[in-house]
């Protein structure tokens, strides 16, 4: 890996409560360009909560989020996307009834004329189809058909579409919440390859996963959360894999 | 194709895998054209049994009788696309004709009377949508059931004891009742509404958002689509279509009545489902509503010509709904099959 160390995304002193549950207690995090940051922790550690705050689904109670060193206000998913952050949610957020290209551009369609309010514009379907096809091709994702709804596609193909969508629109940060959880070996491989490609393109990637193999193989850095607190940060390798696991579960190494 | 070579290089039983997959695909394709095929077969079969059926007079009769169901069903289809249901359309239409009747007493102006009916329809739709969305109701069933009752009550109240309010401006009677070159004018209204809705649903961003909201509401929020606005708009359009249906019906009968549109909600929901749209949301187009409406019109008309009584007509329509919904279930099953088969291809 190139020694890229520009912090693209910084989270400082993040706190989030859900009623009586302290989901995040003073968590900090930085993600650098061209780097895969693994976000680790046991079930309920606060991983999804943290990334949902960054992607605009939840709002932080306290703390701040900085992009390229500048504080940004992220009050909605749309605001996060405007800031250059794209998220692949655990449930993918794909529309089964739409084609890959329609899924790609859903919510940010290419449309005309520009003087109309965005909802009343006319779809530039051919442009969207062509662009999406090119992108999917470039990412070496193979789809059985391009004009059929994604309902007909396998878990891996769907995952690939969701990752590709995030990859294309993310200018700075791509967040993936357990992108291989539901996949078989072969399909997991493809998604990991995609993540590598994104890293090579210089994006900052935050990867949530429970799969230690993938962490060791792919991550440049790992941040471990336990019960809403950051309990460690290290560079994963085969050698310290056991240490990483004990940090996650809370046993002393 | 990529996919062919993928299958060919598949691990085991590639040939059988291939044929099953094409069988599943064929099944899906048949299901997607099924309703239209059935309609064509139905028309040809009935035409052979009862020669009178295909006479120009009877065809134009069917078109005229189907117009109201078709118009309102096209609005209903947008609501069903978003996983909703609009039970109020029939009562909404009745109220609109009564308001039209009142407006006519006040001013003999086709424009004013027409506006009154259409706006009344849209207003009821707006109430449905706003209460459903901003009242955070779990499902639109209840609110549209409530407005069904309210609209019927208001219609009866405003008509002050009359079952019909005679008289409509000339132009409205022409739209609803007259023909041009042997084609009922109401059919042109169906055509115009269909054209506008096709453009909205297929060519405009708003239409794409309607499909997205119906396909996966959570994801629509995550993708930044104005889900609430989209939902409300579908109920407004459904109400608007009920108002347009009111113009056509009031024109054909040259009267308003609080009793109009009885069970129209069932006819329109049936039309959408029989036509091939999915009750599970996100699937369907204007053509489905039209095919379904014409199928209902054809079946009613044929059973009439054959002298079958009206009770049996209701039973027949009910049975067809069951078949159509089973078709929807079968489609989902086949899609799941196709999906798991693609998984094997990597
Ligand atoms: N919307 C919510 N309302 C209330 N509590 C919540 C909500 N979301 C998360 N929590 C709580 O916050 C804590 C952190 O949950 P979170 O989903 O972030 O964990 P996670 O690390 O993603 O776990 P997993 O590995 O199981 O996905 C948990 O105790 C959870 O119950
Ligand atoms: Mg989680």
């Amino acid at each position: 890996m190139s020694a890229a160390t520009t912090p693209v995304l910084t989270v400082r002193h993040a706190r989030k409560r859900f009623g009586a549950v302290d989901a995040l207690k003073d968590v900090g995090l930085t993600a650098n360009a061209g780097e895969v940051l693994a976000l680790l922790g046991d079930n309920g550690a606060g991983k999804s909560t943290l990334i949902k705050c960054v992607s605009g689904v939840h709002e932080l109670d306290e703390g701040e989020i900085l992009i390229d060193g500048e504080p940004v206000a992220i009050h909605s998913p749309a605001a996060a996307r405007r800031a250059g952050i794209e998220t692949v949610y655990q449930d993918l957020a794909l529309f089964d009834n739409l084609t890959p290209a329609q899924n790609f551009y859903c919510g940010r369609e290419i449309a005309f004329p520009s003087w109309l309010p965005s909802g009343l514009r006319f779809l530039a379907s051919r442009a969207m189809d062509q662009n999406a096809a090119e992108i999917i091709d470039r990412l070496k994702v193979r789809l059985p058909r391009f004009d059929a709804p994604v309902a007909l596609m396998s878990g891996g193909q769907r995952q690939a579409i969701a990752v590709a969508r995030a990859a294309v629109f993310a200018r700075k940060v791509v967040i993936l919440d357990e992108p291989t959880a539901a996949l078989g070996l072969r399909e997991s491989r493809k998604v990991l390859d995609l993540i590598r490609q994104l890293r090579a393109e210089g994006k900052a990637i935050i990867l949530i996963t429970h799969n230690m193999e993938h962490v060791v193989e792919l991550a440049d850095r790992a941040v471990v959360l336990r019960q809403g607190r950051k309990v460690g940060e290290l560079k994963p390798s085969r050698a310290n894999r056991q240490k990483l696991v004990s940090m996650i579960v809370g046993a002393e190494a | 194709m990529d996919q062919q070579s993928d299958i060919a290089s598949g691990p085991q039983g590639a040939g059988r895998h291939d044929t099953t997959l094409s069988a599943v695909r064929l099944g899906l394709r048949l299901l997607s054209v099924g309703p239209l095929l059935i309609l064509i077969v139905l028309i040809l079969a009935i035409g052979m049994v009862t020669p009178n059926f295909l006479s120009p007079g009877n065809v134009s009769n069917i078109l005229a009788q189907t117009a109201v169901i078709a118009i309102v069903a096209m609005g209903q289809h947008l609501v069903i696309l978003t996983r909703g249901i609009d039970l109020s359309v029939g009562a909404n239409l009745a109220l609109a004709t009564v308001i039209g009747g009142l407006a006519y007493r006040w001013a003999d102006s086709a424009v004013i009377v027409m506006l009154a009916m259409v706006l009344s329809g849209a207003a009821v739709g707006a109430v449905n949508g706003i209460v459903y969305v901003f009242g955070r109701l779990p499902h639109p069933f209840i609110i549209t059931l409530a407005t069904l009752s309210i609209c019927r009550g208001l219609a009866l109240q405003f008509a002050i004891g009359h079952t019909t309010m005679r008289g409509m401006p000339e132009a409205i009677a022409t739209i609803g009742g007259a023909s041009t070159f042997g084609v009922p004018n109401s059919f042109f209204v169906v055509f115009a509404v269909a054209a506008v809705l096709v453009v909205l649903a297929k060519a405009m961003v708003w239409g794409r958002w309607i499909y997205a909201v119906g396909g996966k509401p959570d994801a629509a929020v995550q993708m930044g689509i104005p889900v609430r606005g989209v939902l409300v708009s579908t109920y407004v359009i459904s109400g608007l279509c009920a108002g347009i249906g009111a113009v056509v019906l009031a024109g054909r009968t040259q009267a308003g009545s609080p009793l109009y549109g009885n069970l129209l909600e069932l006819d329109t929901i049936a039309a959408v489902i029989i036509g091939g749209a999915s009750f599970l949301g996100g699937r369907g187009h204007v053509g489905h509503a039209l095919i379904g409406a014409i199928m209902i019109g054809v079946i009613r008309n044929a059973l009439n010509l054959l002298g079958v009584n009206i009770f049996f007509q209701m039973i027949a329509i009910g049975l067809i709904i069951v078949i159509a919904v089973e078709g929807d279930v079968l489609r989902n099953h086949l899609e799941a099959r196709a999906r798991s088969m693609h998984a094997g291809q990597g």
Side-chain angles (χ1 to χ4, degrees), chain A residues 44 47-49 90 177-178 208 210:
Chain A
K47 308 179 296 293
S48 293
T49 305
Q90 233 164 330
D177 196 350
E178 305 199 22
I208 298 181
H210 291 289

Side-chain angles (χ1 to χ4, degrees), chain B residues 66-78 81 185-204 211 237 240-241 244-245 248 284-291 293-294:
Chain B
T66 311
V68 173
I69 297 179
I71 292 166
V72 182
M74 286 189 282
Q76 182 81 259
H77 129 268
L78 288 183
L81 266 185
N185 289 342
S186 54
F187 185 73
F188 294 113
V189 180
V190 173
F191 199 79
V193 172
V196 170
L197 290 186
V198 164
V199 170
L200 171 79
K202 294 295 179 184
M204 288 174 68
Y211 280 92
I237 295 171
L240 196 69
C241 287
I244 296 172
V248 168
H285 49 72
V286 167
H288 289 138
L290 286 178
I291 291 171
I294 294 175

Side-chain angles (χ1 to χ4, degrees), chain A residues 73-237:
Chain A
I74 296 179
H75 302 299
S76 69
R81 272 189 277 139
R82 275 196 299 276
I85 303 167
E86 288 286 327
T87 309
V88 179
Y89 295 94
Q90 233 164 330
D91 74 343
L92 294 189
L94 283 186
F95 303 95
D96 271 346
N97 56 335
L98 300 182
T99 66
Q102 291 169 347
N103 263 290
F104 246 73
Y105 284 99
C106 200
R108 54 190 145 203
E109 291 78 4
I110 303 178
F112 61 94
S114 56
W115 49 267
L116 279 173
S118 59
L120 299 182
R121 290 180 199 163
F122 291 86
L123 297 162
S125 292
R126 183 162 318 158
M128 289 191 277
D129 284 350
Q130 277 174 0
N131 291 359
E134 266 168 35
I135 291 156
I136 287 181
D137 228 40
R138 200 183 76 213
L139 293 171
K140 302 192 185 65
V141 175
R142 286 217 274 162
L143 299 179
R145 284 179 58 183
F146 210 72
D147 55 352
V150 300
L152 293 173
M153 294 175 193
S154 75
Q157 290 160 345
R158 293 153 62 83
Q159 194 86 44
I161 294 168
V163 175
R165 173 175 64 184
V168 173
F169 290 102
R171 295 190 314 283
K172 300 175 186 298
V173 184
V174 182
I175 301 173
L176 303 110
D177 196 350
E178 305 199 22
T180 56
L183 301 184
L185 280 179
R186 223 166 3 141
E187 304 201 309
S188 298
R189 272 292 119 213
K190 287 213 157 177
V191 171
L192 297 188
D193 287 345
L194 266 178
I195 295 174
R196 269 200 198 87
Q197 231 170 312
L198 294 183
R199 171 168 65 188
E201 288 173 12
K203 273 150 196 160
I205 294 144
I206 300 178
L207 172 66
I208 298 181
T209 177
H210 291 289
N211 187 321
M212 282 301 139
E213 273 306 313
H214 295 170
V215 173
V216 170
E217 177 185 334
L218 205 58
D220 302 296
R221 238 163 6 106
V223 165
V224 182
L225 299 185
R226 194 164 67 231
Q227 293 172 359
R229 270 184 218 289
K230 179 166 154 185
V231 292
E233 175 166 349
L234 52 76
K235 192 172 161 38
S237 66

Side-chain angles (χ1 to χ4, degrees), chain B residues 72 86-99 117-126 128 144 147-152 155 235-243 246 257 260-261 264-265:
Chain B
V72 182
D86 188 349
L87 295 177
S88 70
V89 287
N92 185 356
L93 175 142
L95 176 61
T97 65
V98 168
I99 293 204
M117 289 196 259
V118 170
L119 289 181
S120 160
V124 172
N128 284 333
T144 58
T147 47
L148 180 167
S149 181
I150 294 170
C151 288
R152 196 64 81 182
Y235 290 89
V236 173
I237 295 171
S238 176
L240 196 69
C241 287
S257 166
Y260 279 167
L264 183 63
E265 59 281 357

